[in-house]
Structures are given as structure tokens and as C-alpha cells.
Amino acid sequence: MQLTILGCHSATPRANAHPTAQILDINGELMLIDCGEGTQVQLRKQKVKFSRLSHIFISHLHGDHYFGLIGLLSTFSLLSRTAELHIHAPKGLEEIIKLQLKASHAYTSYPLIFHTLASSKPEMILDNEKLTVETIPLDHRIYTNGFLFKAKAGDRKLLIDKVLDLNIDKAYYKSIVKGKDVETKDGELINNKDITEDPKPAPSYAFCSDTAFKPTIVPQITGVSLLYHESTFLEEQEHLCNKTKHSTAKQAGIIAQKAQVHKLILGHFSARYKDLSLFEKEAKVVFDHAENAETGKIFRYD
Amino acid sequence: MQLTILGCHSATPRANAHPTAQILDINGELMLIDCGEGTQVQLRKQKVKFSRLSHIFISHLHGDHYFGLIGLLSTFSLLSRTAELHIHAPKGLEEIIKLQLKASHAYTSYPLIFHTLASSKPEMILDNEKLTVETIPLDHRIYTNGFLFKAKAGDRKLLIDKVLDLNIDKAYYKSIVKGKDVETKDGELINNKDITEDPKPAPSYAFCSDTAFKPTIVPQITGVSLLYHESTFLEEQEHLCNKTKHSTAKQAGIIAQKAQVHKLILGHFSARYKDLSLFEKEAKVVFDHAENAETGKIFRYD
């Protein structure tokens, strides 16, 4: 699993401060999470092969999380994309995109499929052979979801010495790693668990932006490999969180610590701060495995 | 008059190829013409004091000419703008912008006034004490206007030696430069033309993008100080102009030559060309005062 940060700053885009957008490469599927203005240029700069994108997830309809989407969708048409593209987003986005396509008399060259999110409870919104995606309802000024991506575990691992000892026909190997029991050449029934071991734990990623401090999400995200949690402010400006419905770096650290995640990634930094290292420092007081997002930074988890 | 190129490439934005946007500083008024994705970042990079913007002109509703507008309008709110902002644009844009503002529950902090363009004939759309702006109907795949900006001439120039010789009271100077006749202290009536000369010719700017070759615009733009005319293709690809309704550099040169403009600026280059100097070269064959637009380039005319 590989997460590429395309932008991790809040509000207005500036020359070196791009709004929220991330690319998640998970079990061979390429997903875009949020799409602030300029995302398509960031995709090019980071050399992402974005024709591989199959699903786009939009957390909420504040501009710094979706104003780059219409441009990206238009570019796919200019590049003569034909593969289906799925957009998972709150109510309203489909109308916004379709109105703009209509105004330009330019429909997409590919099937564009909208999946409207409206529930205030976690929902399974994607379940294919490679992964599942669930919404994580968040607490922001407008309807907002985070997203929980879970890779599906691979095949079971063959205990090759045992299989050879039992003289099991090679033709069965494919079904054995899928978990099936098998018969030896002598007709003895072998329990799958005796000749395989569990696959490596599958990686998972929780994206939580934008949100006020919301500890009720902890059970859903417990144990994830990577957690991105917004930290728009430092604790010194915690009073701004109530009105704006954002979090501090410390609050992000508390969520990570409670959820016992492997790593916390901080982002959505307010433009008021010059020294972003303070975010990492503040979160580390409560959760040591905290790291700042940066444009172009790649987080890997195997 | 000063024209700053923020972007001059067609279609998809790339790292060093920004879509159409220009800033015109004319008689102290700051105008934005078109607003492709990323324009607000370009405004910052070029250090334009964009709080001074009073009017935005959108030629047509292809994305590379307006996808950056909603972001810029949102940023003005974040910056707590209070001054009126006027948008002159084809039908459809007001609905697109208002739908997006509604989705974010974030209305503008300033009066946002739309002026819908729908006529197929030239219209005077702005006439204040500093300048006039007329539409230049163009020939593109969707409804499109160019814009003709004409600064108003300044005050007449006082012939100070003559005024002193005639012993005219200083109190009259202000009305003399406005063109009024005056009496000397001895009661003699002096014709204004005998004590003033014409002001410097006022600069004018014609923006023509996107359009197929359309010589019928020539009378309207004859003699302008600066003409920006799109040249998406070189003559070698002229066959593409019919379907796409664009022009070649040579065709832009012909328009400039027929209209006897002072300078032609070329832009809206297709991404297919690596060597953009060929555009300037091609136009110069028919019109010598041709120059390529470039991101960040400033064209001045006094």
C-alpha cells in the first residue's frame, strides 16, 4: 500500500501550499481521495499514472476538497479515456459536475458513475476482490465523510515442506491457498490449516478530514496501518476548533493513540502557521508515530 | 496600460502550461480576462494585488477559460473582501457558481454581480469614467465573446506658455483641461483649442479567444494598441481549425495586419507543439509586430 500526498494544506491554494488531495495505491487499485484545485497538475508533477484511477472519493463540498475535480474529469475526456470512473461524494456534486459538462457541450468520453453519500452512519461503499471502503462520518460544518480502506488479505501461505511430505498433487495448490481442504494421493483428507498459514495482515488506511475532535470514530479505525487525521490548528488555537469544526494536532494524536494505529499522518494545516514542524511535535507528545504530510511525500506500508 | 499573461495555453493545465487568464491594468482599473484552473495561484506568483480587481470577463464556458473562477471567488471571501465584484460571462456561469456556493453553505462576503452575455452582436457592457468595454462576438464551438477595452482619453494638455502670455487666472486651469473656453482678465474670449492640445491617444486592447478565423471582427478592432488573438495551431494543422473552431498563427497575423493594430500577441497554444517560437515566426510573415504570450510576460503600452 502506498499513499502519495498531492496536497495537505487548508483553504486557499498558494504556490507551495496545495489543497487536499491524495493518491492511494492499494492492492493494485489506484484511488484518489479529495481533489482540491490544481490536483491534476500535482498528479503530473508526482508522475502518477492517473489513467489507472478507478474511484474518486470526495469527503465534503468545501472547495479546497473538490474544486479540481471538474478539470480532472475534463482532462480524462481530452485523453480519450474509455474506462468507467466512479465518484463517491455527498449529494450535490453530481449536479455541479453535470451542469458544467452541459455548459461546455462536452460530455465525458467514458462512463462517469456517481455514488451519492447521504448516510450519517458508516456505510460499506465499495467491496470488490481487492478491498473494501467504508465511510467514516465526521463532524464538520457541512456533511462530511472520512473513508476507511481495507485491502483484502491475499491467499493463505502454503507450508511447502508439509505439502511435499504428504505427496499432495500440485494441481491442488491453487485451491489450497484459497483455503480448501485436500486429499492426498492415498485418499487421506488433510485439513487446510495443517498445510497453510495465515497470509500477511492486509494493510488499511483511514482518511479523516475535515473534522472536529470526534473520539466516537475510534472503534471503527482501531488498528489501521495508516491514519491521516486533519490538524488544522495547534493546541494554542484550540478555541478556533469549535466554530470551524476542525482539530488540533494534539487531538489528532489522541485519536491515533486511542485507536492504536501504526502511524499517524498529520495534514490540512492552516496558512497561519510558518513552522509546520510544531504539528508533528505536538502530536508526538501523545502519540510517538506521528509524521507530517508534505506535498509529494509517499507513505508506504507493506 | 499593462497586460500581464497568467496563462496562455489551451486545454489541460500542466506544470508549466497554464490555461487562459490575463490581467489588464488600464487607467487604474484592474480587470481579469478569463480564469482557467490555477489562476489564483498565478495571481500570487505574479504578485498581482488582486484585491483591486473590480471586473472579471469570461469569454466562454470551456473549462480552460473559467474552472479557476470558483476558487478565486471563494478566496476573496476568505480574505474578507467587501468591495463589489462584477462578472461578465455567458449564460450558465451564474448558475454554476451559485450552485457551488450553495453546496458549501458559504456565500460571498462581498456583492457578486453577474452580467449575462447573450447577444450575437457587439455590445457595450461597461462604460465608466475610465474606460469602455465592448463584446467582440467570436466564432467558436460554443457561445463566445472577445472583449474590447478602450481607455478614455485623459484631460487636454495645457499650452502653458500661451496661458501665461494671455494672463489667464489659474483658477480656470481645471476647466480649461476639460475643454472649456475661457475669458482673460481683460475680458477677451479665448477658444480652448488655442491654449490646449489633444491628450495622448488612449490605449486600447482587444482580446480574441477562442475563435475560428473571423475577418468580420476587423472593423471593430481596427487600430487597437494591443491585440491578443488566439493561435491554437500552426498553418500545417489548419485542417484542424474547421472542426475545433480555432485559428492558426498565420490567420491571427492576417487579422492583425488587416486591423492595423500596433502589436499582436499570440496565445492559446496547443500542447502538441514543443517549439512555440514557430507561432511568432509564422505570424510575422504577414504581420511584423507579432509576439508570443508567455506566462508572466507583461505587455505595456503608454
Short mmCIF file of all heavy atoms in Angstrom, two decimals, chain B residues 113-168:
data_model
loop_
_atom_site.label_atom_id
_atom_site.label_comp_id
_atom_site.label_asym_id
_atom_site.label_seq_id
_atom_site.Cartn_x
_atom_site.Cartn_y
_atom_site.Cartn_z
N ILE B 113 -21.86 40.41 -8.58
CA ILE B 113 -22.89 40.84 -9.52
C ILE B 113 -22.62 40.25 -10.90
O ILE B 113 -21.55 40.48 -11.49
CB ILE B 113 -22.92 42.39 -9.58
CG1 ILE B 113 -23.25 42.91 -8.18
CG2 ILE B 113 -23.94 42.88 -10.61
CD1 ILE B 113 -22.69 44.26 -7.89
N PHE B 114 -23.56 39.46 -11.37
CA PHE B 114 -23.40 38.82 -12.68
C PHE B 114 -24.05 39.66 -13.78
O PHE B 114 -25.15 40.17 -13.60
CB PHE B 114 -24.03 37.43 -12.68
CG PHE B 114 -23.19 36.41 -11.97
CD1 PHE B 114 -23.34 36.20 -10.60
CD2 PHE B 114 -22.25 35.66 -12.66
CE1 PHE B 114 -22.55 35.27 -9.94
CE2 PHE B 114 -21.47 34.73 -12.01
CZ PHE B 114 -21.62 34.53 -10.64
N HIS B 115 -23.35 39.76 -14.90
CA HIS B 115 -23.88 40.42 -16.09
C HIS B 115 -23.86 39.36 -17.18
O HIS B 115 -22.78 38.95 -17.63
CB HIS B 115 -23.03 41.62 -16.47
CG HIS B 115 -22.88 42.61 -15.36
ND1 HIS B 115 -23.77 43.65 -15.16
CD2 HIS B 115 -21.97 42.71 -14.36
CE1 HIS B 115 -23.39 44.35 -14.09
NE2 HIS B 115 -22.31 43.79 -13.60
N THR B 116 -25.03 38.91 -17.58
CA THR B 116 -25.10 37.79 -18.51
C THR B 116 -25.01 38.26 -19.95
O THR B 116 -25.75 39.15 -20.37
CB THR B 116 -26.41 37.00 -18.27
OG1 THR B 116 -26.34 36.43 -16.97
CG2 THR B 116 -26.57 35.89 -19.29
N LEU B 117 -24.11 37.64 -20.69
CA LEU B 117 -23.91 37.97 -22.10
C LEU B 117 -24.65 36.96 -22.95
O LEU B 117 -24.50 35.75 -22.75
CB LEU B 117 -22.42 37.95 -22.43
CG LEU B 117 -21.53 38.81 -21.52
CD1 LEU B 117 -20.07 38.66 -21.90
CD2 LEU B 117 -21.96 40.27 -21.57
N ALA B 118 -25.43 37.45 -23.89
CA ALA B 118 -26.20 36.53 -24.73
C ALA B 118 -26.32 37.02 -26.17
O ALA B 118 -26.72 36.27 -27.06
CB ALA B 118 -27.60 36.33 -24.13
N SER B 119 -25.93 38.26 -26.43
CA SER B 119 -26.13 38.82 -27.76
C SER B 119 -25.10 38.26 -28.76
O SER B 119 -23.98 37.94 -28.39
CB SER B 119 -26.00 40.35 -27.70
OG SER B 119 -26.08 40.87 -29.00
N SER B 120 -25.53 38.19 -30.02
CA SER B 120 -24.58 37.77 -31.05
C SER B 120 -23.99 38.99 -31.76
O SER B 120 -23.26 38.86 -32.74
CB SER B 120 -25.28 36.85 -32.05
OG SER B 120 -26.39 37.54 -32.60
N LYS B 121 -24.33 40.18 -31.27
CA LYS B 121 -23.76 41.40 -31.84
C LYS B 121 -22.91 42.12 -30.78
O LYS B 121 -23.14 41.93 -29.59
CB LYS B 121 -24.90 42.33 -32.28
CG LYS B 121 -25.63 41.76 -33.48
CD LYS B 121 -26.70 42.68 -33.98
CE LYS B 121 -27.37 42.05 -35.19
NZ LYS B 121 -28.70 42.63 -35.45
N PRO B 122 -21.98 42.95 -31.22
CA PRO B 122 -21.16 43.68 -30.23
C PRO B 122 -22.05 44.51 -29.32
O PRO B 122 -23.01 45.13 -29.77
CB PRO B 122 -20.28 44.59 -31.10
CG PRO B 122 -20.22 43.92 -32.43
CD PRO B 122 -21.56 43.26 -32.61
N GLU B 123 -21.73 44.49 -28.04
CA GLU B 123 -22.50 45.24 -27.04
C GLU B 123 -21.53 46.04 -26.17
O GLU B 123 -20.46 45.54 -25.83
CB GLU B 123 -23.19 44.28 -26.06
CG GLU B 123 -24.43 43.61 -26.54
CD GLU B 123 -25.01 42.79 -25.38
OE1 GLU B 123 -24.31 41.89 -24.86
OE2 GLU B 123 -26.16 43.06 -25.00
N MET B 124 -21.94 47.22 -25.79
CA MET B 124 -21.18 47.98 -24.80
C MET B 124 -21.59 47.43 -23.43
O MET B 124 -22.74 47.55 -23.03
CB MET B 124 -21.55 49.46 -24.90
CG MET B 124 -20.85 50.35 -23.89
SD MET B 124 -19.17 50.69 -24.36
CE MET B 124 -19.44 51.95 -25.62
N ILE B 125 -20.66 46.80 -22.72
CA ILE B 125 -21.04 46.17 -21.45
C ILE B 125 -20.50 46.93 -20.23
O ILE B 125 -20.86 46.63 -19.11
CB ILE B 125 -20.61 44.68 -21.39
CG1 ILE B 125 -19.11 44.53 -21.64
CG2 ILE B 125 -21.42 43.87 -22.39
CD1 ILE B 125 -18.61 43.10 -21.47
N LEU B 126 -19.62 47.88 -20.48
CA LEU B 126 -19.13 48.70 -19.37
C LEU B 126 -18.76 50.07 -19.92
O LEU B 126 -18.13 50.16 -20.98
CB LEU B 126 -17.90 48.04 -18.72
CG LEU B 126 -17.33 48.71 -17.47
CD1 LEU B 126 -18.33 48.71 -16.32
CD2 LEU B 126 -16.05 48.01 -17.03
N ASP B 127 -19.16 51.11 -19.23
CA ASP B 127 -18.85 52.47 -19.66
C ASP B 127 -18.77 53.32 -18.41
O ASP B 127 -19.79 53.74 -17.86
CB ASP B 127 -19.97 52.98 -20.60
CG ASP B 127 -19.64 54.37 -21.16
OD1 ASP B 127 -18.62 54.96 -20.75
OD2 ASP B 127 -20.41 54.85 -22.02
N ASN B 128 -17.57 53.50 -17.91
CA ASN B 128 -17.40 54.36 -16.74
C ASN B 128 -16.43 55.49 -17.07
O ASN B 128 -16.06 55.67 -18.23
CB ASN B 128 -16.98 53.54 -15.50
CG ASN B 128 -15.60 52.93 -15.64
OD1 ASN B 128 -14.76 53.42 -16.38
ND2 ASN B 128 -15.37 51.84 -14.92
N GLU B 129 -16.01 56.25 -16.10
CA GLU B 129 -15.21 57.44 -16.44
C GLU B 129 -13.80 57.08 -16.91
O GLU B 129 -13.12 57.92 -17.50
CB GLU B 129 -15.15 58.39 -15.24
CG GLU B 129 -14.56 57.76 -13.99
CD GLU B 129 -14.67 58.68 -12.78
OE1 GLU B 129 -15.35 59.73 -12.90
OE2 GLU B 129 -14.09 58.35 -11.74
N LYS B 130 -13.40 55.83 -16.67
CA LYS B 130 -12.04 55.45 -17.04
C LYS B 130 -11.94 54.72 -18.37
O LYS B 130 -10.94 54.80 -19.07
CB LYS B 130 -11.43 54.58 -15.95
CG LYS B 130 -11.23 55.33 -14.65
CD LYS B 130 -10.73 54.41 -13.57
CE LYS B 130 -10.51 55.14 -12.27
NZ LYS B 130 -10.28 54.20 -11.16
N LEU B 131 -12.98 53.94 -18.69
CA LEU B 131 -12.89 53.10 -19.89
C LEU B 131 -14.25 52.61 -20.35
O LEU B 131 -15.25 52.76 -19.64
CB LEU B 131 -11.98 51.90 -19.63
CG LEU B 131 -12.57 50.69 -18.87
CD1 LEU B 131 -11.71 49.47 -19.12
CD2 LEU B 131 -12.70 50.98 -17.40
N THR B 132 -14.24 52.04 -21.57
CA THR B 132 -15.41 51.31 -22.05
C THR B 132 -14.97 49.88 -22.38
O THR B 132 -13.79 49.64 -22.68
CB THR B 132 -16.00 51.93 -23.33
OG1 THR B 132 -15.02 51.88 -24.36
CG2 THR B 132 -16.48 53.34 -23.10
N VAL B 133 -15.92 48.97 -22.28
CA VAL B 133 -15.67 47.58 -22.69
C VAL B 133 -16.82 47.14 -23.59
O VAL B 133 -17.99 47.31 -23.23
CB VAL B 133 -15.57 46.62 -21.49
CG1 VAL B 133 -15.18 45.22 -21.96
CG2 VAL B 133 -14.57 47.13 -20.45
N GLU B 134 -16.44 46.62 -24.76
CA GLU B 134 -17.44 46.06 -25.68
C GLU B 134 -17.17 44.58 -25.89
O GLU B 134 -16.02 44.15 -25.86
CB GLU B 134 -17.32 46.72 -27.07
CG GLU B 134 -17.53 48.20 -27.12
CD GLU B 134 -17.02 48.79 -28.44
OE1 GLU B 134 -17.08 48.11 -29.49
OE2 GLU B 134 -16.51 49.92 -28.39
N THR B 135 -18.21 43.82 -26.16
CA THR B 135 -18.00 42.42 -26.56
C THR B 135 -17.59 42.38 -28.03
O THR B 135 -17.97 43.24 -28.83
CB THR B 135 -19.28 41.59 -26.39
OG1 THR B 135 -20.31 42.20 -27.15
CG2 THR B 135 -19.70 41.48 -24.94
N ILE B 136 -16.82 41.36 -28.38
CA ILE B 136 -16.48 41.07 -29.77
C ILE B 136 -16.99 39.65 -30.04
O ILE B 136 -16.31 38.67 -29.67
CB ILE B 136 -14.95 41.11 -29.99
CG1 ILE B 136 -14.35 42.42 -29.47
CG2 ILE B 136 -14.61 40.89 -31.47
CD1 ILE B 136 -12.81 42.41 -29.41
N PRO B 137 -18.17 39.49 -30.61
CA PRO B 137 -18.69 38.13 -30.82
C PRO B 137 -17.73 37.33 -31.70
O PRO B 137 -17.29 37.80 -32.75
CB PRO B 137 -20.03 38.38 -31.51
CG PRO B 137 -20.42 39.76 -31.08
CD PRO B 137 -19.13 40.52 -31.01
N LEU B 138 -17.41 36.12 -31.25
CA LEU B 138 -16.44 35.28 -31.96
C LEU B 138 -17.11 34.02 -32.50
O LEU B 138 -18.30 33.79 -32.27
CB LEU B 138 -15.27 34.93 -31.02
CG LEU B 138 -14.48 36.15 -30.52
CD1 LEU B 138 -13.44 35.73 -29.49
CD2 LEU B 138 -13.81 36.90 -31.67
N ASP B 139 -16.34 33.25 -33.23
CA ASP B 139 -16.88 32.05 -33.91
C ASP B 139 -16.20 30.81 -33.32
O ASP B 139 -15.11 30.43 -33.75
CB ASP B 139 -16.59 32.18 -35.42
CG ASP B 139 -17.07 30.96 -36.19
OD1 ASP B 139 -17.86 30.16 -35.63
OD2 ASP B 139 -16.65 30.80 -37.35
N HIS B 140 -16.86 30.21 -32.31
CA HIS B 140 -16.27 29.05 -31.65
C HIS B 140 -17.34 27.97 -31.53
O HIS B 140 -18.48 28.16 -31.96
CB HIS B 140 -15.71 29.49 -30.29
CG HIS B 140 -14.79 28.49 -29.67
ND1 HIS B 140 -13.83 27.81 -30.37
CD2 HIS B 140 -14.66 28.05 -28.38
CE1 HIS B 140 -13.17 27.00 -29.56
NE2 HIS B 140 -13.66 27.13 -28.35
N ARG B 141 -16.99 26.85 -30.92
CA ARG B 141 -17.94 25.73 -30.86
C ARG B 141 -19.13 26.04 -29.94
O ARG B 141 -20.21 25.48 -30.11
CB ARG B 141 -17.24 24.46 -30.36
CG ARG B 141 -16.04 24.06 -31.22
CD ARG B 141 -15.58 22.64 -30.95
NE ARG B 141 -15.20 22.40 -29.57
CZ ARG B 141 -14.02 22.74 -29.04
NH1 ARG B 141 -13.11 23.37 -29.77
NH2 ARG B 141 -13.74 22.45 -27.78
N ILE B 142 -18.89 26.87 -28.94
CA ILE B 142 -19.99 27.32 -28.10
C ILE B 142 -19.97 28.85 -28.09
O ILE B 142 -19.02 29.47 -28.56
CB ILE B 142 -19.91 26.76 -26.65
CG1 ILE B 142 -18.61 27.19 -25.96
CG2 ILE B 142 -20.04 25.25 -26.64
CD1 ILE B 142 -18.55 26.82 -24.48
N TYR B 143 -21.02 29.43 -27.53
CA TYR B 143 -21.16 30.89 -27.49
C TYR B 143 -19.94 31.55 -26.84
O TYR B 143 -19.59 31.26 -25.69
CB TYR B 143 -22.43 31.26 -26.71
CG TYR B 143 -22.65 32.74 -26.57
CD1 TYR B 143 -23.01 33.51 -27.68
CD2 TYR B 143 -22.47 33.38 -25.34
CE1 TYR B 143 -23.20 34.88 -27.55
CE2 TYR B 143 -22.67 34.74 -25.22
CZ TYR B 143 -23.03 35.49 -26.32
OH TYR B 143 -23.20 36.84 -26.20
N THR B 144 -19.31 32.45 -27.58
CA THR B 144 -18.02 33.02 -27.15
C THR B 144 -17.92 34.49 -27.53
O THR B 144 -18.31 34.87 -28.63
CB THR B 144 -16.85 32.25 -27.83
OG1 THR B 144 -16.94 30.86 -27.51
CG2 THR B 144 -15.50 32.80 -27.38
N ASN B 145 -17.40 35.28 -26.62
CA ASN B 145 -17.11 36.68 -26.90
C ASN B 145 -15.64 36.99 -26.65
O ASN B 145 -15.06 36.50 -25.67
CB ASN B 145 -17.90 37.61 -25.96
CG ASN B 145 -19.37 37.62 -26.26
OD1 ASN B 145 -19.79 38.09 -27.32
ND2 ASN B 145 -20.16 37.08 -25.34
N GLY B 146 -15.06 37.82 -27.50
CA GLY B 146 -13.85 38.53 -27.14
C GLY B 146 -14.26 39.81 -26.44
O GLY B 146 -15.46 40.10 -26.28
N PHE B 147 -13.29 40.62 -26.03
CA PHE B 147 -13.60 41.87 -25.34
C PHE B 147 -12.68 42.98 -25.84
O PHE B 147 -11.48 42.76 -26.03
CB PHE B 147 -13.44 41.70 -23.82
CG PHE B 147 -14.34 40.63 -23.26
CD1 PHE B 147 -13.83 39.37 -22.94
CD2 PHE B 147 -15.69 40.86 -23.07
CE1 PHE B 147 -14.66 38.36 -22.45
CE2 PHE B 147 -16.53 39.86 -22.59
CZ PHE B 147 -16.02 38.61 -22.27
N LEU B 148 -13.26 44.14 -26.04
CA LEU B 148 -12.51 45.31 -26.50
C LEU B 148 -12.53 46.36 -25.40
O LEU B 148 -13.59 46.88 -25.04
CB LEU B 148 -13.16 45.86 -27.78
CG LEU B 148 -12.58 47.17 -28.34
CD1 LEU B 148 -11.09 47.02 -28.65
CD2 LEU B 148 -13.35 47.59 -29.59
N PHE B 149 -11.35 46.63 -24.87
CA PHE B 149 -11.19 47.59 -23.78
C PHE B 149 -10.62 48.88 -24.36
O PHE B 149 -9.57 48.85 -25.01
CB PHE B 149 -10.21 47.06 -22.72
CG PHE B 149 -10.63 45.75 -22.12
CD1 PHE B 149 -10.36 44.55 -22.78
CD2 PHE B 149 -11.31 45.70 -20.92
CE1 PHE B 149 -10.75 43.33 -22.23
CE2 PHE B 149 -11.71 44.49 -20.36
CZ PHE B 149 -11.43 43.31 -21.02
N LYS B 150 -11.29 50.00 -24.10
CA LYS B 150 -10.78 51.29 -24.57
C LYS B 150 -10.68 52.25 -23.39
O LYS B 150 -11.72 52.62 -22.81
CB LYS B 150 -11.74 51.89 -25.60
CG LYS B 150 -11.77 51.19 -26.94
CD LYS B 150 -12.75 51.95 -27.85
CE LYS B 150 -12.95 51.26 -29.18
NZ LYS B 150 -14.11 51.84 -29.92
N ALA B 151 -9.46 52.64 -23.09
CA ALA B 151 -9.29 53.66 -22.05
C ALA B 151 -9.88 54.97 -22.56
O ALA B 151 -9.85 55.24 -23.76
CB ALA B 151 -7.81 53.85 -21.74
N LYS B 152 -10.45 55.74 -21.66
CA LYS B 152 -10.91 57.06 -22.09
C LYS B 152 -9.73 58.02 -22.07
O LYS B 152 -8.83 57.91 -21.24
CB LYS B 152 -12.04 57.54 -21.18
CG LYS B 152 -13.31 56.75 -21.46
CD LYS B 152 -14.55 57.37 -20.89
CE LYS B 152 -15.75 56.55 -21.33
NZ LYS B 152 -16.96 56.88 -20.56
N ALA B 153 -9.75 58.94 -23.05
CA ALA B 153 -8.65 59.90 -23.14
C ALA B 153 -8.61 60.73 -21.87
O ALA B 153 -9.64 61.02 -21.26
CB ALA B 153 -8.86 60.80 -24.35
N GLY B 154 -7.44 61.14 -21.48
CA GLY B 154 -7.28 61.99 -20.30
C GLY B 154 -7.66 63.43 -20.62
O GLY B 154 -8.23 63.74 -21.67
N ASP B 155 -7.32 64.33 -19.72
CA ASP B 155 -7.59 65.76 -19.92
C ASP B 155 -6.79 66.30 -21.10
O ASP B 155 -5.75 65.76 -21.47
CB ASP B 155 -7.20 66.53 -18.66
CG ASP B 155 -8.12 66.21 -17.49
OD1 ASP B 155 -9.23 65.69 -17.75
OD2 ASP B 155 -7.72 66.48 -16.34
N ARG B 156 -7.27 67.39 -21.70
CA ARG B 156 -6.49 68.09 -22.73
C ARG B 156 -5.23 68.64 -22.09
O ARG B 156 -5.17 68.86 -20.87
CB ARG B 156 -7.33 69.22 -23.33
CG ARG B 156 -8.56 68.70 -24.08
CD ARG B 156 -9.24 69.80 -24.85
NE ARG B 156 -8.38 70.34 -25.89
CZ ARG B 156 -8.10 69.71 -27.04
NH1 ARG B 156 -8.62 68.53 -27.31
NH2 ARG B 156 -7.32 70.30 -27.93
N LYS B 157 -4.20 68.88 -22.91
CA LYS B 157 -2.91 69.31 -22.37
C LYS B 157 -2.80 70.84 -22.46
O LYS B 157 -2.94 71.41 -23.55
CB LYS B 157 -1.80 68.64 -23.17
CG LYS B 157 -0.53 68.44 -22.37
CD LYS B 157 0.50 67.66 -23.15
CE LYS B 157 1.91 67.96 -22.60
NZ LYS B 157 2.95 67.47 -23.50
N LEU B 158 -2.57 71.49 -21.34
CA LEU B 158 -2.47 72.95 -21.28
C LEU B 158 -1.20 73.43 -22.00
O LEU B 158 -0.12 72.91 -21.75
CB LEU B 158 -2.38 73.33 -19.79
CG LEU B 158 -2.91 74.68 -19.34
CD1 LEU B 158 -4.41 74.80 -19.63
CD2 LEU B 158 -2.68 74.81 -17.83
N LEU B 159 -1.35 74.40 -22.91
CA LEU B 159 -0.16 75.01 -23.53
C LEU B 159 0.26 76.15 -22.60
O LEU B 159 -0.23 77.29 -22.72
CB LEU B 159 -0.51 75.51 -24.94
CG LEU B 159 -0.88 74.39 -25.92
CD1 LEU B 159 -1.44 74.96 -27.22
CD2 LEU B 159 0.31 73.49 -26.21
N ILE B 160 1.12 75.82 -21.67
CA ILE B 160 1.35 76.69 -20.52
C ILE B 160 1.91 78.06 -20.92
O ILE B 160 1.53 79.09 -20.33
CB ILE B 160 2.23 75.98 -19.44
CG1 ILE B 160 2.21 76.75 -18.10
CG2 ILE B 160 3.64 75.74 -19.93
CD1 ILE B 160 0.89 76.63 -17.38
N ASP B 161 2.78 78.09 -21.95
CA ASP B 161 3.35 79.39 -22.39
C ASP B 161 2.24 80.34 -22.84
O ASP B 161 2.22 81.50 -22.48
CB ASP B 161 4.33 79.17 -23.54
CG ASP B 161 5.61 78.50 -23.04
OD1 ASP B 161 5.78 78.41 -21.79
OD2 ASP B 161 6.39 78.03 -23.89
N LYS B 162 1.28 79.77 -23.62
CA LYS B 162 0.20 80.62 -24.14
C LYS B 162 -0.71 81.10 -23.02
O LYS B 162 -1.14 82.25 -23.00
CB LYS B 162 -0.62 79.84 -25.17
CG LYS B 162 0.18 79.53 -26.43
CD LYS B 162 -0.70 79.18 -27.60
CE LYS B 162 0.18 78.98 -28.83
NZ LYS B 162 -0.58 78.49 -29.97
N VAL B 163 -0.98 80.22 -22.10
CA VAL B 163 -1.85 80.56 -20.98
C VAL B 163 -1.23 81.69 -20.14
O VAL B 163 -1.91 82.62 -19.74
CB VAL B 163 -2.13 79.31 -20.12
CG1 VAL B 163 -2.80 79.68 -18.81
CG2 VAL B 163 -2.98 78.31 -20.90
N LEU B 164 0.09 81.60 -19.94
CA LEU B 164 0.79 82.64 -19.17
C LEU B 164 0.81 83.96 -19.94
O LEU B 164 0.57 85.03 -19.38
CB LEU B 164 2.20 82.18 -18.84
CG LEU B 164 2.31 81.01 -17.84
CD1 LEU B 164 3.76 80.53 -17.69
CD2 LEU B 164 1.74 81.39 -16.47
N ASP B 165 1.09 83.87 -21.24
CA ASP B 165 1.10 85.08 -22.09
C ASP B 165 -0.23 85.81 -22.01
O ASP B 165 -0.27 87.04 -21.96
CB ASP B 165 1.30 84.68 -23.57
CG ASP B 165 2.79 84.48 -23.89
OD1 ASP B 165 3.62 84.72 -22.99
OD2 ASP B 165 3.08 84.03 -25.02
N LEU B 166 -1.31 85.02 -22.00
CA LEU B 166 -2.65 85.61 -22.02
C LEU B 166 -3.09 86.04 -20.62
O LEU B 166 -4.18 86.60 -20.45
CB LEU B 166 -3.67 84.62 -22.60
CG LEU B 166 -3.49 84.37 -24.11
CD1 LEU B 166 -4.26 83.12 -24.54
CD2 LEU B 166 -4.00 85.58 -24.90
N ASN B 167 -2.23 85.72 -19.63
CA ASN B 167 -2.50 86.15 -18.25
C ASN B 167 -3.86 85.62 -17.74
O ASN B 167 -4.65 86.35 -17.15
CB ASN B 167 -2.46 87.69 -18.19
CG ASN B 167 -2.26 88.17 -16.76
OD1 ASN B 167 -1.81 87.40 -15.89
ND2 ASN B 167 -2.60 89.43 -16.50
N ILE B 168 -4.10 84.32 -18.05
CA ILE B 168 -5.36 83.69 -17.62
C ILE B 168 -5.24 83.27 -16.16
O ILE B 168 -4.21 82.75 -15.72
CB ILE B 168 -5.67 82.46 -18.50
CG1 ILE B 168 -5.96 82.93 -19.94
CG2 ILE B 168 -6.85 81.65 -17.95
CD1 ILE B 168 -5.98 81.84 -20.96
#
